[in-house]
Amino acid sequence: MLKKLISLFSVLALLLLAACGLNGGGSANQTATDSKEEKPSSGEKKELEFWYIDSGEKEKVYLEAVERFKEKHPDVEVKTLQIPNDAYKQKFSVAMSGDQAPDVFHSWGGGWLKNFVDQGKVLDLTGETDTAHFNELALKNSTYDGKIYGLPLSLSIDVVFYNKEIFEKYNLTPPKTYEEWLSIIDTLNKNNVIPIALANQTKWPGAYYLMNFASRIAGPELFKSALNREGKGFDDPAYVQAGKYIQEMVDRNAFNSGFNGVPYDEGQGRQLLYSGQAAMMDMTISFLNNVRQEAPEFEEKLDFFLFPTVPGGKGDTTHVGAATGPVWSVAKNSEHPDLATELVKELTSTETAQNYTDRTGSLTGVKDIEPADEFTKRFYDVVQNATHLQMPYDQTLPPELAELHKDTTQAIFGKDMTPEEAAKKMEEKAKELLE
């Protein structure tokens, strides 16, 4: 009987404990649930995704800017992804079409960015932009219908680099006119030196010649008129003449053999200069950064001149071929557009811009950032004296027309198409896409 009473009291005690709670209230399951609900939500970090194309020192500058942003926003994590140029364009287009674009992304402004702006996929940054912070011409390249969709960190120009040692050896001086340039080409050929290295498999390096010649012939207004359908077209006589100048240079053996099949990124064209086999190359100022990474000893031989003028031309050397990129933009469907915009501002801050130009030998789209490096400062002076900066056609035109521009220009170089045929094709496509 006593054992039964003890058992009964034990059961009652356990029931009482369960009813009162193990730790002074509520069941074990209820306590765990309540505890989970009480965890502060601030412990969960917000996340931004950031895509860019550059490696090396440029990448380091970007990542340092990301770290400064994170110090200011400790509740934010930034996932970064570096993707090489050609692969980036394809991957990004797929991401954009599936509404899976990164919050902050690399662009070049111009027609490439406008294509996504027109699809309603890029955030309007106008109200968040201090326009006085940027070079006006650089910022204009990512401004459409008065609204800003990208902030430019980089501003590049194209110049003609040359080997001073070779020029001195054959008593050559940098040409100011096209005729002087042809004379230099003839002299170099007579001495078994390739006059100009050209790696035109990807088509854009050769496109600089068409753009520069057209600008020197008719002035910078020509492209604006053709693009905006304001009277002149892409079949204008100036474009035909630009093609003729290119083919004249080909006929004078101005370029290395097989130039239309030589890729640029692999560096074969640059090696022709480093090794002394070639004397010149028309290229963006990123070439200086290549030299410092690939052949630093070559820098003491390196110099540059601006694209020469042509007989009777309306253009001059204050009209400079230029490009922006990176231009940082924000996806419109970002879950954290305000934070993404703040990251873009850090990526174009004065500190980031100064680091960028001092450490990469590049110019910046941020205003009044003067390079400490003497060589880069000479590029800076060119921009300061420029009256017009012509952005690359393939970054300004709609994508389909941009590709045709590169295709037809490469065909002119290869003499697979006459300048007249190329100009006609461009104008026909422009009427289809722009009117």
Side-chain angles (χ1 to χ4, degrees), residues 133-335:
H133 182 66
F134 296 95
N135 176 295
E136 181 182 357
L137 295 173
L139 188 61
K140 186 178 180 181
N141 198 40
S142 51
T143 302
Y144 315 102
D145 297 325
K147 295 182 179 180
I148 299 166
Y149 290 91
L151 304 186
L153 174 60
S154 175
L155 175 64
S156 183
I157 57 174
D158 86 271
V159 299
V160 183
F161 289 99
Y162 72 95
N163 184 324
K164 290 187 294 185
E165 194 174 78
I166 292 176
F167 269 53
E168 290 168 3
K169 181 177 181 180
Y170 299 110
N171 297 314
L172 304 173
T173 56
K176 295 183 178 179
T177 68
Y178 177 61
E179 295 95 328
E180 291 173 358
W181 204 9
L182 289 180
S183 177
I184 290 171
I185 288 167
D186 290 343
T187 298
L188 292 169
N189 273 318
K190 289 176 184 176
N191 289 279
N192 297 315
V193 177
I194 298 168
I196 304 171
L198 177 60
N200 202 34
Q201 185 188 68
T202 47
K203 306 171 189 177
W204 59 265
Y208 283 115
Y209 289 85
L210 185 83
M211 292 184 288
N212 282 319
F213 274 131
S215 179
R216 292 292 185 263
I217 295 164
E221 296 78 15
L222 171 64
F223 178 70
K224 180 183 176 184
S225 180
L227 174 64
N228 297 325
R229 317 313 291 160
E230 295 173 343
K232 295 183 178 180
F234 290 100
D235 59 352
D236 188 89
Y239 281 118
V240 175
Q241 181 59 49
K244 289 181 177 179
Y245 280 140
I246 288 171
Q247 292 192 339
E248 181 177 16
M249 293 182 78
V250 172
D251 290 341
R252 298 281 275 263
N253 293 319
F255 309 106
N256 47 291
S257 176
F259 53 80
N260 267 351
V262 178
Y264 183 79
D265 287 345
E266 283 77 353
Q268 295 174 30
R270 298 191 295 275
Q271 287 296 332
L272 291 175
L273 265 78
Y274 302 159
S275 63
Q277 295 177 72
M280 295 175 280
M281 174 180 275
D282 184 355
M283 186 44 59
T284 68
I285 59 175
S286 62
F287 182 78
L288 176 59
N289 200 38
N290 292 136
V291 169
R292 289 175 172 175
Q293 290 179 343
E294 298 168 346
E297 70 284 351
F298 182 71
E299 185 174 344
E300 65 182 27
K301 302 177 184 179
L302 188 67
D303 208 338
F304 71 90
F305 57 86
L306 299 177
F307 202 90
T309 59
V310 300
K314 296 179 181 178
D316 60 54
T317 54
T318 68
H319 304 148
V320 181
T324 54
V327 172
W328 305 122
S329 297
V330 176
K332 193 171 184 179
N333 66 347
S334 169
E335 292 183 9

Side-chain angles (χ1 to χ4, degrees), residues 1-34:
M1 184 68 179
L2 181 61
K3 289 183 178 180
K4 289 183 179 180
L5 286 172
I6 292 171
S7 297
L8 179 61
F9 280 123
S10 298
V11 171
L12 288 171
L14 288 170
L15 289 173
L16 182 61
L17 283 169
C20 294
L22 297 174
N23 292 305
S27 70
N29 287 338
Q30 286 174 327
T31 302
T33 302
D34 291 345

Side-chain angles (χ1 to χ4, degrees), residues 20 52 78 102 129 214 301 310 381:
C20 294
Y52 55 91
V78 181
T129 302
K301 302 177 184 179
V310 300
D381 291 339

